[in-house]
């Protein structure tokens, strides 16, 4: 047992004495010790209930003959951090979470590890740690929030963000918005659409590091507690057989995950997080791989915000493995991949049934022939950019417009709110990338106001920052190289012609080479926006969005 390094032998008597001081018995110390990384706090709806999940895990670990030992990690709610300085710290928290789990598991050589996250950066941060540490591990999340109800319709957090724009445009009253904000998020769980948190929770199933149901069983259902108990039992089996994350999260497993991502139309942030998780295991996932898989995988689920189904609907329809069952009919899933369930993917999907083909379309009758995300390249983004293609009306798959340039999210948000953006404008928000932000803020507020004002069908929004999984419309993020690195986005001027083609997958700044060279020579790198503390150090260490915004090695 790995834990014997801190508990076995006469020289470890002082160590055992300290365990006794915490109330552990001799028998508990002698059993396999399972670390539990609990990200519960009172600041995130998705995490407010995680102590109950952890208790269920602990109970079953003890039942299976192990000793659970819990420690905590930080966690940020992206919705609450949105549209102020707090969002600069969200992506950066992913690396802190990963590092914190690593240092705890190195200081305490656990025999196994249970990861208990539920929201945007906590999920990938913990999976990165699992890959880095490569000790037996399993993830059990808190589950999705149920949809709210407003005026007879299902709503979620994005409905509130877009409601702000509707108030600004005069199509909703402030009184109606007040009612909406109280009912859109009815309780615990990660926000109800296929936003980043739920995208990553679902992909944890596809990767095999979490049990079937982890991404879709609602937070408030008893089945979520039962799944937590099962996770506690499974970690003991993984320890016994010494099955580790790198045995499970292989190249083929990542290809499965990307395929599932394209099929359910996940958040564009998955193109940041999957490469970062793979990186910790020495696997490279270039953006070209996302593009390659997107071209061959059909879009099967019309999930919020692009569509009208929520996670509870996907759960009722059969969940993530039902999507994998459909994709396997066209050999788009590798069935040989191992999972923490102790079975291969093919063995699991054998008995899976799609119970609602409106929620999960048959593979031969998809919503769209190609996957949810597309990678765009061109003179504006030589190293690539990301768009959630299924969230864009086909009326503007080919867009030509004039640039309106803003140096921050706040400037753009104010202009949109004040009605200064008109149909045909290409809103450029720069110096919001991993280095320039720093922290690559999400742009949910400006995109939601655009949608609320009805401009999502006639305008584009382009940034070296990123978008929430709740974004819809012609919103192109992760533009690389970013402005702070002297990428072409830094040289755009008001009135420049911008051309975007989602069929050809191009994004171009229509400016002559001679003019671009002139602008490049006159460009000066701006002063850092944050000059001290963690995010100052982060800006010096982080790499491009095109490589997952990981730290330099």
């Amino acid at each position: 047992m790995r834990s014997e390094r801190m508990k076995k032998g006469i020289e470890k008597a002082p160590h055992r004495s300290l365990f006794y001081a915490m109330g552990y018995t001799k028998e508990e110390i002698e059993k396999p010790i399972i670390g539990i990384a609990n990200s519960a706090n009172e600041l995130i709806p998705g995490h407010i209930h995680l102590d109950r999940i952890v208790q269920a895990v602990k109970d079953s670990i003890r039942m299976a003959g192990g000793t659970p030992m819990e420690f905590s990690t930080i966690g940020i709610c992206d919705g609450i951090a949105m549209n102020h300085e707090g969002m600069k710290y969200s992506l950066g928290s992913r690396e802190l979470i990963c590092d914190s789990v690593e240092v705890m598991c190195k200081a305490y050589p656990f025999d196994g590890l249970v990861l208990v996250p539920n929201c945007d950066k906590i999920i990938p941060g913990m999976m990165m740690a699992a890959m880095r540490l490569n000790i037996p591990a399993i993830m059990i999340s808190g589950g999705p929030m149920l949809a709210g109800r407003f005026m007879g319709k299902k709503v979620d957090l994005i409905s509130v963000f877009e409601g702000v724009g509707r108030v600004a445009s005069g199509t909703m009253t402030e009184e109606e918005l007040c009612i909406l904000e109280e009912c859109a998020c009815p309780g615990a769980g990660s926000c109800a659409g296929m936003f980043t948190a739920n995208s990553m929770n679902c992909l944890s199933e596809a990767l095999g590091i979490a049990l079937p149901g982890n991404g879709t069983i609602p937070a408030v259902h008893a089945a979520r507690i039962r799944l937590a108990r099962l996770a506690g039992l499974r970690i003991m089996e993984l320890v016994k057989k010494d099955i580790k994350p790198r045995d499970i999260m292989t190249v083929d497993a990542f290809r499965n995950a990307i395929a599932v991502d394209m099929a359910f139309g996940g958040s564009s942030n998955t193109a940041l997080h999957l490469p970062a998780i793979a990186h910790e295991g020495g696997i490279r996932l270039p953006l070209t791989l996302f593009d390659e898989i997107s071209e061959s995988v059909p879009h099967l689920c019309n999930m919020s915000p692009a569509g009208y189904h929520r996670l509870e609907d996907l759960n009722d329809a059969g969940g993530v493995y039902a999507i994998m069952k459909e994709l396997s009919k066209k050999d788009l899933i590798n069935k040989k991949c191992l999972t923490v369930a102790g079975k291969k993917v093919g063995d699991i999907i054998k008995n899976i049934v799609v119970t609602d083909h409106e929620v999960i379309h048959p593979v031969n009758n998809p919503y769209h022939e190609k996957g949810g995300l597309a990678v765009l390249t061109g003179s504006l983004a030589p190293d690539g950019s990301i768009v959630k293609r299924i969230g864009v009306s086909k009326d503007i798959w080919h867009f030509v417009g004039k640039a309106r340039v803003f140096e921050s999210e706040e400037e753009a948000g104010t202009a949109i709110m004040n009605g200064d953006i008109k149909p045909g404008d290409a809103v450029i928000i720069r110096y919001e990338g991993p280095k320039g932000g720093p922290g690559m803020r999400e742009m949910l507020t400006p995109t939601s106001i655009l949608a609320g004002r009805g401009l999502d069908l006639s305008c584009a929004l382009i940034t070296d920052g990123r978008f929430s999984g709740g974004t819809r419309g012609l919103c192109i993020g992760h533009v690389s190289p970013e402005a702070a690195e002297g990428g072409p986005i830094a040289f755009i001027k008001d009135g420049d012609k911008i051309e975007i083609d989602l069929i050809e997958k191009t994004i171009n700044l229509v400016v002559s080479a001679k003019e671009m060279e002139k602008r490049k020579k006159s460009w000066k790198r701006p002063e850092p926006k944050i000059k001290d503390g963690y995010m100052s150090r982060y800006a010096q260490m982080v790499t491009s969005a095109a490589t997952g915004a990981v730290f330099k090695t």
Side-chain angles (χ1 to χ4, degrees), residues 289-334:
L289 180 60
F290 284 78
D291 202 45
E292 170 198 322
I293 294 175
S294 180
E295 287 298 299
S296 62
V297 174
H299 173 226
L300 304 182
C301 302
N302 200 25
M303 306 294 293
S304 174
Y308 40 86
H309 293 130
R310 268 66 179 191
L311 270 293
E312 61 205 75
D313 303 314
L314 179 57
N315 186 64
D316 292 343
V320 172
Y321 275 89
I323 297 172
M324 297 175 81
K325 176 73 171 280
E326 282 297 319
L327 294 178
S328 71
K329 293 176 182 177
K330 286 197 172 182
D331 294 324
L332 296 169
I333 291 293
N334 188 316

Side-chain angles (χ1 to χ4, degrees), residues 386-461:
I386 294 287
V387 63
K388 192 169 183 176
R389 180 166 50 187
I390 59 162
V392 184
S393 168
K394 286 209 170 183
D395 293 340
I396 52 169
W397 273 36
H398 183 258
F399 173 88
V400 178
K402 290 184 178 181
R404 290 291 310 277
V405 181
F406 301 94
E407 310 299 330
S408 71
E409 177 192 1
E410 288 85 354
E411 289 181 22
T414 299
I416 299 167
M417 195 72 178
N418 290 342
D420 296 336
I421 300 302
K422 307 299 181 187
D425 284 346
V427 178
I428 310 293
I429 306 178
R430 63 190 178 193
Y431 296 106
E432 291 286 8
K435 289 181 183 294
M440 203 179 180
R441 284 194 289 182
E442 289 184 343
M443 304 291 159
L444 182 56
T445 296
T447 60
S448 297
I449 300 172
L450 269 178
R453 279 187 165 276
L455 293 170
D456 55 313
L457 300 179
S458 58
C459 289
L461 198 153

Side-chain angles (χ1 to χ4, degrees), residues 40-62:
N41 66 33
E42 297 180 351
L43 294 160
I44 312 176
H47 292 228
I48 196 71
H49 65 306
L50 291 188
D51 282 341
R52 190 174 177 216
I53 299 289
V54 167
Q55 188 58 55
V57 172
K58 287 179 179 179
D59 290 345
S60 56
I61 288 173
R62 289 193 177 99

Side-chain angles (χ1 to χ4, degrees), residues 112-289:
L113 177 64
V114 181
L115 305 164
V116 189
N118 206 36
C119 288
D120 291 15
K121 308 311 168 295
I122 304 94
I123 301 161
M126 287 195 179
M127 286 199 280
M128 287 165 66
M131 278 289 265
R132 183 185 296 178
L133 290 161
N134 203 33
I135 62 174
I138 191 170
M139 194 173 92
I140 170 67
S141 297
M145 186 185 292
L146 295 174
R149 297 292 190 279
F150 176 71
M151 297 177 69
K153 295 181 179 180
K154 286 184 179 180
V155 291
D156 54 41
L157 180 65
I158 305 309
S159 308
V160 186
F161 272 98
E162 293 186 359
V164 175
R166 292 179 62 192
V167 170
S169 66
T171 58
M172 175 181 272
T173 66
E174 288 190 37
E175 290 75 18
E176 288 172 329
L177 181 61
C178 286
I179 297 169
L180 174 61
E181 71 182 64
E182 289 192 15
C183 66
C185 300
S190 48
C191 298
M194 192 59 84
F195 316 140
T196 304
N198 288 323
S199 295
M200 291 307 300
N201 271 335
C202 287
L203 294 186
S204 70
E205 290 187 51
L207 280 169
I209 197 66
L211 293 169
N214 183 67
T216 59
I217 296 172
V220 295
H221 283 195
R224 174 62 52 178
I225 300 300
R226 295 197 298 272
L227 191 71
R229 292 185 188 281
L230 184 56
L233 297 176
R234 287 305 311 160
I235 188 60
M236 295 303 294
E237 284 297 311
L238 295 170
V239 168
K240 182 179 178 180
K241 296 176 180 178
D242 199 29
I243 297 173
K244 299 183 285 292
R246 294 185 195 180
D247 300 324
I248 293 169
M249 293 191 283
T250 62
V251 171
D252 288 333
F254 278 102
R255 292 184 70 95
N256 279 353
I258 296 171
V260 172
D261 188 14
M262 297 307 161
F264 65 48
S267 164
S268 59
N269 284 315
T270 58
L272 276 179
H273 299 320
L274 289 177
I277 297 163
H279 172 78
E280 295 295 341
I283 298 171
R284 184 171 175 268
L285 294 184
L287 283 181
T288 51
L289 180 60

Side-chain angles (χ1 to χ4, degrees), residues 310-380:
R310 268 66 179 191
L311 270 293
E312 61 205 75
D313 303 314
L314 179 57
N315 186 64
D316 292 343
V320 172
Y321 275 89
I323 297 172
M324 297 175 81
K325 176 73 171 280
E326 282 297 319
L327 294 178
S328 71
K329 293 176 182 177
K330 286 197 172 182
D331 294 324
L332 296 169
I333 291 293
N334 188 316
K335 299 179 186 178
K336 296 180 180 179
C337 292
L338 184 63
T339 74
V340 292
K343 302 176 182 178
K344 293 182 179 179
V345 168
D347 296 324
I348 296 174
I349 65 175
K350 191 181 298 181
N351 298 316
I352 295 290
V353 176
V354 177
T355 58
D356 188 340
H357 278 296
E358 180 59 30
V359 177
I360 303 174
H361 271 208
V363 73
N364 58 2
N365 182 31
Y367 282 99
H368 301 96
E369 293 294 333
K370 296 181 180 180
L373 299 182
V375 177
L376 310 184
T377 56
S379 62
L380 201 157

Side-chain angles (χ1 to χ4, degrees), residues 462-517:
I462 302 162
T463 181
D464 53 7
R466 59 196 177 93
F467 295 116
S468 162
T471 293
R472 61 187 173 92
L474 187 54
C475 299
I476 298 161
H478 304 205
V479 170
S480 301
E482 63 174 292
E485 290 186 321
I489 192 171
F491 313 133
I492 303 175
K493 292 186 177 180
D494 277 341
D496 283 348
K497 182 179 176 182
I498 305 293
E499 186 168 5
I500 300 164
D501 193 318
L502 298 194
I503 297 174
E504 298 297 324
K505 294 184 291 185
T506 56
I507 178 167
N508 288 304
L509 171 60
V510 187
V511 173
S512 70
K514 183 178 179 181
E515 175 63 18
M516 284 295 286
E517 193 60 34

